[in-house]
Amino acid sequence: MAEFINLALLALLALTALRIIFLKDLFSVVMLFGIYSFLSASIFLNLDAVDVAFTEASVGAGISTVLMLGTLALTGRKEKASKHSSCLPLVVVCVTGAVLIYGTLDMPPFGDPNNPAHQHVAPRYIEESLKEVGLPNMVTSVLASYRGFDTLGEVVVVFAAAIGVLSLLGIRRQKDELVADTGLKEHRVLHVIAKLIIPLIILFALYVQFHGDFGPGGGFQAGVIAAAAFILYTLVFGLKRTFVVVSPKFLAWMASIGVLVYACVGLFSMFKGGQFLDYNQLAADPIAGQHYGIIIIELGVGITVFAAMLSIFYAFESQVERSNVQ
Amino acid sequence: MSFVLDYYNYWVVVFLMMTGFYIVISANNLVKKIVGLNIFQTSVFMLYITVGKVSGGTAPIVTEGVSLYSNPLPHVLILTAIVVGVATTALGLSLVVRIKRAYGTVEENEFENKDDAI
Amino acid sequence: MTVVLSAVCITILIVMALAMARAFNAKTVYDRILGVNMFGTKTVLFIAASGFLMGRPDFLDIAIVYALINFIGMIAVLRFFEYTAPIE
Amino acid sequence: MLILDIVSALLLIAGGFFGLSGAIGLFKFPDFYTRVHSASVTDSIAVILIMGGLLLQTSFDINTAKLLFIMLFLMLTSPTASHALAKSARHGGLASMAEAKMDEQENNNNG
């Protein structure tokens, strides 16, 4: 049954990608891209990558789609007909595709336990991580402990991207420039329901943040889900009212604090006499030290991702509202 | 049949990758190009996760009574790659917005002409 | 029970395919949004049902995220749709 | 235990049936507003039935709570989304079938 679901979902995914090529209405392209992300998340789930499915569903489908829609509101939704002939790209793509298909024939068969990928580092993670780190979720142990330095790099990349977007677009801080009642003000039912479910979303984000050690989830996903709650608030009630709740300046502080918390854990373990990000030094018992370390750095990741994603959204949304005023 | 099942995932990955590639090189509109880039990117994610799957295995979260788990390493790599991917997408989209403001268009051939005029 | 769950999974897959067909070829843009929305809610059900089918129902968190993001995406579409003139 | 299984199977099958009928309605109904009707009403009932069927298979643990949460969430958001969509369509000037017919008749009378 799992194989059948895999076949069917991949076929639907290929169809969606094919349809996106021929659509000229960019609004529809972005909506189909949302479907594409959802489908690929279901495929990840079916291939046992629970955490990846979680991230793709929240980050890929949610944030990218919202940002693309915001861009379309600024750039217009019609793609003009291209004047180039599409012959040359088609030939290039077909030749490259044929070469790659030829290359796949040398790949190990799908799902074989004797594949080279499963021989080298993975057995250690699978067999030892419960003893060494003490968390049931191997993905979290590898992410936060074994490859903690790598994850620090990723968090810095997210932080840098937020700085990049803010320096390119900037958030309008003058309150007068924003209209008092933007957002979907005609939709009364939406106002009531949004007020009802936003607390539920934040609650769920906290659950994901702190349950990530035992089930799917963790800082990246929790940060995005918490940001999604405020994005929903902005979409329904307008940017001006959201600025009262979470101001852009506060977010800038939060984003840096998250990275600093992460890096400080590393420095603290060095101070205790271990290597950078060596959590065993954080407490007398190595396992307890690992637990403290992972909880704190996941919190740092969550705070940074939340602040970075929300400020990126603020930047786009303030552009949209400004262009709407003019 | 088992030959097809063994390689089906890889073929779909190649197809998606080429679809994304085609959109990137043939589309005229910058937003559509970014959508193409994202499709390309997702196909790479799919390749990694396909490699990490073990038949009969289950998700790499320790539970009682399960001994065969899928490979957790590709999952970690892709999890962070997705978040970074969104960060780069956001940066690309903000560049598109700036291009629209500077040139008044996001169609590739149109602002190329304007560049010549300047 | 496995038979029933498989049947339900396949039915939901068919419904997803139909909703997708609606989103691919729609007379108005609203029909397209409707198809996308229906696809989203049916995916939530699919994930829940397939979790029980595979015998590891502890991944329902992902279904919750789907439901949540689907709603937010829908609201975002309606919100930004106001700023763009319809062409269909 | 057996009775619970049978009830759960019945609920699941009924849910699948309603989902399918909604999807067919998406193609068969004549105008947008009737299509919203077919999609959203069957959506709600399919959610209740399928989630109910799955609830009977849990052994009252955290999965039960999560299923209830999903159900509550979908019951709140799915009708709201349909309502907002229909309202936007109305606001955007999309005519229903009856209105389109009336317009046509008026044009015929005038012409």
Side-chain angles (χ1 to χ4, degrees):
Chain A
M1 190 60 199
E3 288 83 15
F4 171 74
I5 291 176
N6 188 26
L7 292 184
L9 287 177
L10 279 170
L12 289 181
L13 190 72
L15 281 177
T16 315
L18 204 59
R19 186 73 184 99
I20 287 177
I21 297 183
F22 297 107
L23 273 175
K24 288 289 168 202
D25 178 19
L26 292 171
F27 213 71
S28 312
V29 167
V30 173
M31 276 193 280
L32 285 194
F33 179 70
I35 287 192
Y36 180 89
S37 291
F38 271 145
L39 267 177
S40 46
S42 335
I43 292 169
F44 292 149
L45 183 62
N46 197 41
L47 294 178
D48 295 343
V50 196
D51 281 273
V52 180
F54 213 129
T55 321
E56 174 71 27
S58 56
V59 184
I63 303 286
S64 319
T65 315
V66 170
L67 292 183
M68 282 179 190
L69 288 170
T71 313
L72 285 187
L74 290 163
T75 59
R77 58 182 278 211
K78 184 83 181 151
E79 183 191 16
K80 290 184 188 137
S82 170
K83 282 179 200 124
H84 319 279
S85 78
S86 57
C87 259
L88 182 64
L90 201 62
V91 170
V92 171
V93 162
C94 285
V95 171
T96 322
V99 172
L100 285 177
I101 296 269
Y102 175 69
T104 57
L105 297 181
D106 284 340
M107 294 288 283
F110 168 62
D112 188 352
N114 298 320
N115 283 354
H118 308 313
Q119 305 306 325
H120 185 42
V121 196
R124 159 135 189 217
Y125 290 151
I126 293 176
E127 282 151 21
E128 305 290 325
S129 73
L130 195 60
K131 280 174 240 155
E132 287 179 355
V133 184
L135 293 182
N137 187 351
M138 295 172 208
V139 176
T140 304
S141 346
V142 178
L143 180 90
S145 183
Y146 291 108
R147 297 181 61 87
F149 195 59
D150 185 28
T151 310
L152 175 62
E154 312 279 0
V155 175
V156 174
V157 168
V158 172
F159 180 64
I163 293 177
V165 171
L166 288 185
S167 54
L168 279 169
L169 297 181
I171 299 174
R172 301 283 124 190
R173 269 158 224 233
Q174 292 90 341
K175 293 233 167 107
D176 328 330
E177 245 185 81
L178 299 169
V179 198
D181 274 324
T182 47
L184 294 160
K185 57 175 177 293
E186 294 289 322
H187 295 264
R188 292 291 155 99
V189 178
L190 208 53
H191 283 206
V192 177
I193 297 294
K195 275 182 189 161
L196 264 178
I197 66 173
I198 284 171
L200 288 181
I201 299 175
I202 294 176
L203 190 67
F204 181 61
L206 287 175
Y207 165 79
V208 172
Q209 170 83 47
F210 293 109
H211 193 258
D213 306 352
F214 308 100
F220 285 109
Q221 295 93 330
V224 172
I225 293 171
F230 290 95
I231 288 177
L232 179 61
Y233 189 80
T234 316
L235 290 172
V236 176
F237 294 102
L239 201 54
K240 192 173 178 182
R241 286 180 68 179
T242 320
F243 276 180
V244 178
V245 184
V246 184
S247 75
K249 205 162 216 169
F250 176 67
L251 281 184
W253 279 101
M254 291 264 280
S256 358
I257 285 174
V259 179
L260 281 178
V261 164
Y262 200 142
C264 284
V265 172
L267 289 179
F268 188 69
S269 62
M270 277 172 91
F271 176 71
K272 285 275 206 166
Q275 305 280 328
F276 188 64
L277 289 174
D278 181 3
Y279 308 138
N280 286 347
Q281 311 293 332
L282 294 180
D285 178 24
I287 299 281
Q290 292 280 351
H291 278 223
Y292 290 139
I294 288 177
I295 285 182
I296 297 172
I297 67 131
E298 287 274 12
L299 199 62
V301 170
I303 291 173
T304 301
V305 170
F306 164 74
M309 292 298 161
L310 196 55
S311 23
I312 289 173
F313 174 74
Y314 273 179
F316 278 88
E317 174 71 18
S318 68
Q319 293 283 326
V320 173
E321 291 200 355
R322 203 166 63 121
S323 77
N324 202 35
V325 170
Q326 283 166 352
Chain B
M1 189 59 200
S2 93
F3 175 74
V4 174
L5 278 182
D6 280 349
Y7 292 97
Y8 180 78
N9 277 41
Y10 298 124
W11 294 337
V12 174
V13 164
V14 171
F15 177 80
L16 293 175
M17 200 180 265
M18 288 306 109
T19 314
F21 187 38
Y22 179 79
I23 295 176
V24 171
I25 58 180
S26 77
N28 211 9
N29 188 295
L30 292 178
V31 180
K32 199 166 179 186
K33 269 184 202 284
I34 289 184
V35 172
L37 267 180
N38 268 299
I39 290 178
F40 194 103
Q41 194 183 347
T42 314
S43 78
V44 177
F45 299 162
M46 207 77 73
L47 178 68
Y48 268 72
I49 301 298
T50 302
V51 169
K53 166 80 178 167
V54 176
S55 307
T58 169
I61 295 175
V62 178
T63 26
E64 278 170 37
V66 181
S67 58
L68 192 61
Y69 296 102
S70 285
N71 192 341
L73 187 58
H75 300 181
V76 177
L77 300 179
I78 295 312
L79 197 160
T80 46
I82 289 175
V83 178
V84 170
V86 168
T88 49
T89 304
L91 205 58
L93 288 173
S94 58
L95 279 173
V96 171
V97 171
R98 284 305 291 264
I99 287 173
K100 168 78 177 177
R101 217 193 279 160
Y103 292 93
T105 175
V106 288
E107 304 289 326
E108 195 185 34
N109 50 4
E110 288 177 9
F111 67 72
E112 266 174 4
N113 298 343
K114 286 189 185 172
D115 230 9
D116 293 342
I118 297 168
Chain C
M1 210 57 228
T2 321
V3 182
V4 177
L5 275 174
S6 321
V8 168
C9 277
I10 291 174
T11 317
I12 301 177
L13 265 178
I14 295 171
V15 175
M16 279 162 68
L18 286 172
M20 220 161 103
R22 179 85 281 186
F24 281 3
N25 267 322
K27 290 191 197 92
T28 63
V29 77
Y30 296 109
D31 275 307
R32 214 183 276 278
I33 303 175
L34 186 64
V36 174
N37 187 36
M38 188 168 180
F39 180 88
T41 42
K42 286 301 174 313
T43 320
V44 177
L45 296 183
F46 175 74
I47 290 195
S50 71
F52 278 86
L53 178 64
M54 304 294 174
R56 289 204 78 175
D58 37 347
F59 303 139
L60 287 168
D61 297 355
I62 296 165
I64 302 178
V65 175
Y66 262 69
L68 161 68
I69 295 294
N70 186 36
F71 181 63
I72 291 178
M74 178 82 182
I75 302 303
V77 166
L78 292 180
R79 168 93 163 86
F80 292 119
F81 189 64
E82 286 182 347
Y83 298 119
T84 51
I87 52 163
E88 274 169 299
Chain D
M1 224 52 241
L2 189 68
I3 298 175
L4 273 188
D5 268 0
I6 292 173
V7 173
S8 149
L10 285 178
L11 286 176
L12 284 173
I13 291 171
F17 168 75
F18 277 111
L20 202 59
S21 64
I24 294 171
L26 216 52
F27 288 88
K28 286 287 175 190
F29 276 115
D31 72 344
F32 171 72
Y33 297 99
T34 48
R35 283 194 285 263
V36 170
H37 177 80
S38 104
S40 70
V41 172
T42 57
D43 242 12
S44 308
I45 191 77
V47 166
I48 297 174
L49 290 174
I50 290 183
M51 288 295 158
L54 293 177
L55 270 175
L56 293 182
Q57 304 208 355
T58 57
S59 45
F60 208 75
D61 47 9
I62 187 150
N63 292 330
T64 320
K66 281 182 195 165
L67 278 175
L68 282 174
F69 188 80
I70 298 176
M71 197 159 132
L72 172 77
F73 202 87
L74 281 179
M75 295 299 293
L76 281 176
T77 57
S78 161
T80 315
S82 305
H83 165 82
L85 177 62
K87 189 162 179 165
S88 284
R90 197 75 205 150
H91 215 69
L94 190 70
S96 72
M97 190 177 56
E99 286 167 341
K101 234 180 222 165
M102 265 175 10
D103 282 354
E104 207 174 289
Q105 273 173 358
E106 242 167 57
N107 284 346
N108 285 348
N109 291 347
N110 293 346

